[in-house]
Amino acid sequence: MNYRIKIAAVAVLAVSVAASYGQTSGTHPQAKKHVATEKAKKQASPTIEEQIQSLRHELEGQINSLKNDLATKDTQLKQAQEAAAQAQASADKAQAAAVSGQQAVTDNAAAVSTLQGAVTDMKSANVSLATTVSDETAKIKKDIANPTALHYKGVTLTPGGFLAGETIYRSKATGGDIPTAFSSIPYEGADAYSLSEFYGSSRQSRISLSVDGKTNWGTLRGYYEADFLGTGITSNNNQSNSYVMRQRILYAEAKTNSKWTFAGGQMWSLATEGKKGIGSNPSDILTPQTIDPNYVPGFVWTRQYGFRVVKSFDHAAFGVSVENPQLLYSAALAGNTPYAILGSAGANGGNYNAAVSTVSATTYVKSYANVKNFDAVTGNQVNTYVPTYATITANSNIANLSFNQAPDMIVKAAFDPGWGHYEIIGIAGFAHETVYPNVTQNSVKYGGTNPDIMGFNGGTPGANVWASSSTSGYYANSIVLGGFGGSARIPVIKDKLTFGFKGLYGPGMGRYGNTTLSDVTNDASGNLKPIHNASGLFTLEATPTPRLLIYLNYGGDYAARADYATTAITLGDPKPYICQSGTTAANASTNCAAAASSTFATNGGTWGSHWTATPVITPIGYGSRYASVSATCAAANNPSYASGSVGYLPGGSACGNNTRSVQEITGGYWFDIYKGDRGRLRQSIQYGYAVREGWSGTGTAGALSTPLNGAKGIDNMFWTSFRYYLP
């Protein structure tokens, strides 16, 4: 730019000099008119020197003028250059400002866009916040007006339960309320078999309270549940119907964020099937949907003390527990069976029930005494025999408690692969007793009397078999019980139809079965022997609508035969015998005879007692083949007398033998009349067909010559229920 300006200035200067020179250097002008000549003539022409001098002055003037012009031009050029430099600087600054302005515009546009987005988000957030505030406000108002839980010092209290009005009708009387005592279904020969029963009850009404507290490492929980199905000694149906409240479930639990669970207290046994994983809460337990609180035979369960540790994973859980033990003992103790101790009634001071339900007194002839009497007619002294009587009292305790050696041990694995729920369980139990082999039923009953003083023992003289009892030789006896089982819950149609089955098998598992058949019995030596038990249940549940649940169950409990029959003598009253003087074992059969008053009056000699019973096979154990089963098992039994309760207590069945199995098929429905935030109102009807069967036996005690089938009892049962559940 500066170079071009300089060229232009030089060109202007050159043109100016040339023009000036042209004007002053014309020494040969064209000829003028005569006027000019005349003027020239009139004036003297300047000399050449003058002209040169004039020209020099003129040129100097022009040169000076040009210098001045050049100086001016230089100044102007410098100013122009400076202006150009300033303009360039301004242009660069403007360019930079333009670039900066463009970036600012871009940044501003981005900022505006961001701001617009933020405003939009804020508007959405404000709308969401307003909705949340509105919802929270509505929730707070709802929680205040209708709280689902109560909050107290950092914990959440959740009450629950239901109020029930229910009825039961049974075609064969059992003397039970809403729960069915399946092992007490009467046999066909029992008095109660000819009568039905009906009861109405609200005793299954239930209350519960869950207390939950959150910590930084997990959750703490306490749970309490109770109903009114306890058996109070003074409770009855006479007027006030004031039945006691019973402890149903009480436990404490700690669950960590790493999915470890520790729980202790009275709760559903680890052996009971759950819905998912391994839970402690009753809502986690999968019970049959029956009105009957004793559920259905084949259902494996207990509610008892336990302490468990559970580790849960996404699709599996593993647990182990120690739980309260108890032996269910049943034995046919016919014959001269050794005496054993394995439990007792409770002790009042130990807070267990020591009361008895029935007292049965039996009077028998223990022996005979020779009494000398004076005959007032003849005046002679005569010898007579007088029976010596003894009375034994048999008590039926309200609660027999076993002396337990150790807690039951249970392990469990549960799996939830995404289609159904599956469990495997194992149970181990322990039992012990003290056996007194020199203390038998006969020695206790007739101890101290030598019944064979004549040398007679079932027709064979010489042996002294009924000696006094002795505690010498006693010893401890222990056995291990155990079983295994499992369950599966399979969704045939998702949320509509579910099929399930469960089972348990093993020695000594009777009390984990719903019917609570016996766990153990004894052999002829008095030793504990396990009874092999089995339980199984099939279930089908359908929910065709959200309000309707339909269910069908079939299950049963079984106790195997444990027959330890042996040759022994079951004694009745002895007979009086008298022998002549000088009788020995060799001649006792001819010198001794049944005593009579006339014999005592006319003969001297030795008197005593004698049992004519001969040793026979006697039933010992559980369900022995040699147990007597009446041939009239299907006929009504003769009424019996029991402790002055004529008219109320029926006689026992003539059928005799132990329970072999109890089975039931039952079904029903639950319909939710209302289900919402005001609670739930439900109605139900259940029907059950139950069969109890006893073990087969014999019509002739101690012989298999007349075998007979076991007894049977069939009961048809109907329940109704009307319940309101707390929301």
Side-chain angles (χ1 to χ4, degrees):
M1 176 69 72
N2 295 334
Y3 177 75
R4 292 178 179 176
I5 293 175
K6 290 180 179 180
I7 295 297
V10 172
V12 171
L13 181 60
V15 171
S16 300
V17 172
S20 299
Y21 180 78
Q23 292 177 356
T24 58
S25 62
T27 58
H28 298 287
Q30 294 180 0
K32 303 296 183 179
K33 293 182 178 182
H34 293 284
V35 175
T37 303
E38 290 178 355
K39 288 180 179 181
K41 288 179 178 181
K42 290 178 179 180
Q43 296 178 357
S45 300
T47 62
I48 296 206
E49 185 177 354
E50 290 177 345
Q51 291 179 357
I52 292 171
Q53 189 66 30
S54 176
L55 180 60
R56 181 180 296 150
H57 289 300
E58 183 176 356
L59 288 174
E60 288 178 355
Q62 290 180 354
I63 290 171
N64 291 332
S65 178
L66 288 174
K67 287 181 179 180
N68 291 333
D69 289 341
L70 287 174
T72 301
K73 296 296 183 182
D74 288 339
T75 301
Q76 292 177 349
L77 179 60
K78 186 176 181 180
Q79 291 177 349
Q81 289 176 341
E82 292 177 352
Q86 293 176 355
Q88 182 65 33
S90 297
D92 293 341
K93 185 176 181 180
Q95 181 68 22
V99 173
S100 176
Q102 182 64 35
Q103 182 64 40
V105 170
T106 303
D107 293 343
N108 288 340
V112 169
S113 178
T114 302
L115 183 59
Q116 289 176 342
V119 170
T120 302
D121 293 342
M122 186 175 294
K123 289 180 180 179
S124 300
N126 288 338
V127 173
S128 177
L129 180 61
T131 303
T132 301
V133 170
S134 177
D135 292 344
E136 288 296 324
T137 303
K139 182 177 182 300
I140 291 172
K141 291 181 178 179
K142 181 180 178 182
D143 289 342
I144 293 174
N146 301 289
T148 57
L150 306 175
H151 301 282
Y152 172 75
K153 291 186 177 180
V155 299
T156 301
L157 310 178
T158 306
F162 59 83
L163 305 175
E166 298 171 334
T167 65
I168 175 61
Y169 168 82
R170 296 186 182 93
S171 62
K172 310 301 178 185
T174 65
D177 201 289
I178 295 299
T180 301
F182 290 101
S183 59
S184 296
I185 293 175
Y187 286 142
E188 293 169 336
D191 299 334
Y193 202 77
S194 60
L195 297 173
S196 63
E197 64 183 2
F198 171 87
Y199 299 104
S201 176
S202 292
R203 295 175 64 191
Q204 196 172 182
S205 298
R206 190 176 305 167
I207 59 174
S208 66
L209 178 66
S210 179
V211 182
D212 297 88
K214 297 289 186 180
T215 69
N216 58 352
W217 52 263
T219 302
L220 303 176
R221 168 176 292 172
Y223 186 85
Y224 169 79
E225 185 176 283
D227 63 17
F228 301 87
L229 289 172
T231 307
I233 298 175
T234 60
S235 302
N236 57 58
N237 282 344
N238 293 348
Q239 187 176 52
S240 65
N241 290 267
S242 302
Y243 287 93
V244 299
M245 180 179 287
R246 70 167 178 168
Q247 169 182 313
R248 184 177 164 90
I249 298 176
L250 294 100
Y251 72 90
E253 180 183 82
K255 184 178 293 185
T256 69
N257 296 331
S258 56
K259 296 184 178 181
W260 283 94
T261 301
F262 305 87
Q266 176 158 312
M267 51 190 160
W268 289 95
S269 169
L270 193 66
T272 311
E273 182 183 11
K275 296 178 181 178
K276 184 177 181 180
I278 300 177
S280 307
N281 196 280
S283 61
D284 300 324
I285 303 301
L286 195 58
T287 60
Q289 299 289 337
T290 57
I291 302 174
D292 189 342
N294 277 356
Y295 307 108
V296 58
F299 178 48
V300 177
W301 69 281
T302 61
R303 283 193 305 268
Q304 59 191 9
Y305 166 81
F307 184 84
R308 67 179 59 170
V309 179
V310 176
K311 172 60 177 175
S312 299
F313 301 91
D314 291 339
H315 300 288
F318 302 91
V320 58
S321 70
V322 292
E323 300 189 9
N324 197 49
Q326 176 64 32
L327 286 179
L328 300 183
Y329 175 81
S330 180
L333 297 175
N336 191 28
T337 306
Y339 187 76
I341 297 292
L342 71 154
S344 73
N348 282 331
N351 286 352
Y352 280 138
N353 200 333
V356 297
S357 58
T358 60
V359 179
S360 178
T362 302
T363 301
Y364 64 97
V365 176
K366 183 176 181 180
S367 62
Y368 294 91
N370 182 17
V371 178
K372 296 182 181 296
N373 292 321
F374 178 77
D375 191 334
V377 176
T378 63
N380 298 325
Q381 184 175 325
V382 297
N383 296 323
T384 59
Y385 64 90
V386 177
T388 300
Y389 294 96
T391 300
I392 57 174
T393 301
N395 297 330
S396 296
N397 302 318
I398 284 181
N400 288 314
L401 304 169
S402 58
F403 299 149
N404 301 309
Q405 184 177 17
D408 286 355
M409 307 290 295
I410 303 178
V411 295
K412 183 177 190 177
F415 304 95
D416 298 280
W419 188 73
H421 176 75
Y422 309 91
E423 296 183 357
I424 301 173
I425 60 173
I427 304 175
F430 311 90
H432 64 168
E433 64 173 351
T434 299
V435 179
Y436 296 86
N438 292 316
V439 181
T440 66
Q441 292 185 62
N442 289 339
S443 66
V444 170
K445 189 174 181 180
Y446 303 103
T449 298
N450 187 346
D452 201 34
I453 196 170
M454 303 300 142
F456 275 71
N457 176 21
T460 302
N464 182 8
V465 295
W466 313 128
S468 298
S469 298
S470 172
T471 59
S472 63
Y474 70 90
Y475 60 92
N477 176 39
S478 300
I479 61 173
V480 177
L481 310 172
F484 64 92
S487 63
R489 181 68 52 156
I490 303 171
V492 179
I493 302 175
K494 185 178 181 181
D495 299 329
K496 293 295 183 181
L497 184 64
T498 302
F499 171 74
F501 64 89
K502 64 196 70 178
L504 176 67
Y505 173 79
M509 295 293 101
R511 81 181 187 97
Y512 284 94
N514 190 78
T515 310
T516 60
L517 298 178
S518 296
D519 301 316
V520 294
T521 185
N522 72 283
D523 63 12
S525 299
N527 297 315
L528 283 175
K529 293 294 181 180
I531 299 171
H532 285 72
N533 305 102
S535 298
L537 176 63
F538 295 90
T539 64
L540 197 64
E541 296 177 1
T543 52
T545 71
R547 288 190 175 188
L548 180 63
L549 169 67
I550 302 173
Y551 62 88
L552 181 66
N553 300 319
Y554 169 70
D557 294 310
Y558 169 84
R561 192 194 300 269
D563 192 352
Y564 298 98
T566 187
T567 300
I569 295 178
T570 301
L571 297 179
D573 289 345
K575 296 182 180 298
Y577 265 65
I578 189 169
C579 296
Q580 298 176 11
S581 299
T583 300
T584 64
N587 61 17
S589 60
T590 58
N591 289 357
C592 299
S597 297
S598 59
T599 305
F600 272 102
T602 58
N603 299 301
T606 306
W607 61 270
S609 302
H610 176 66
W611 281 266
T612 58
T614 57
V616 295
I617 299 295
T618 58
I620 298 176
Y622 187 89
S624 174
R625 298 171 181 83
Y626 292 89
S628 177
V629 179
S630 173
T632 60
C633 194
N637 188 35
N638 291 327
S640 62
Y641 177 82
S643 302
S645 299
V646 176
Y648 276 97
L649 289 179
S653 171
C655 296
N657 217 342
N658 301 113
T659 300
R660 176 178 179 268
S661 67
V662 177
Q663 303 175 66
E664 184 189 28
I665 182 168
T666 184
Y669 71 88
W670 287 96
F671 180 73
D672 292 332
I673 301 172
Y674 170 82
K675 184 178 181 181
D677 56 4
R678 297 297 184 272
R680 178 162 58 163
L681 188 65
R682 305 186 83 189
Q683 184 270 334
S684 175
I685 295 177
Q686 177 192 347
Y687 166 73
Y689 176 86
V691 179
R692 176 191 176 200
E693 294 181 301
W695 276 106
S696 61
T698 178
T700 303
L704 296 180
S705 57
T706 55
L708 293 176
N709 293 329
K712 178 186 288 187
I714 298 175
D715 216 338
N716 291 276
M717 300 171 284
F718 293 88
W719 291 264
T720 67
S721 180
F722 189 68
R723 297 181 182 178
Y724 170 71
Y725 288 76
L726 296 181

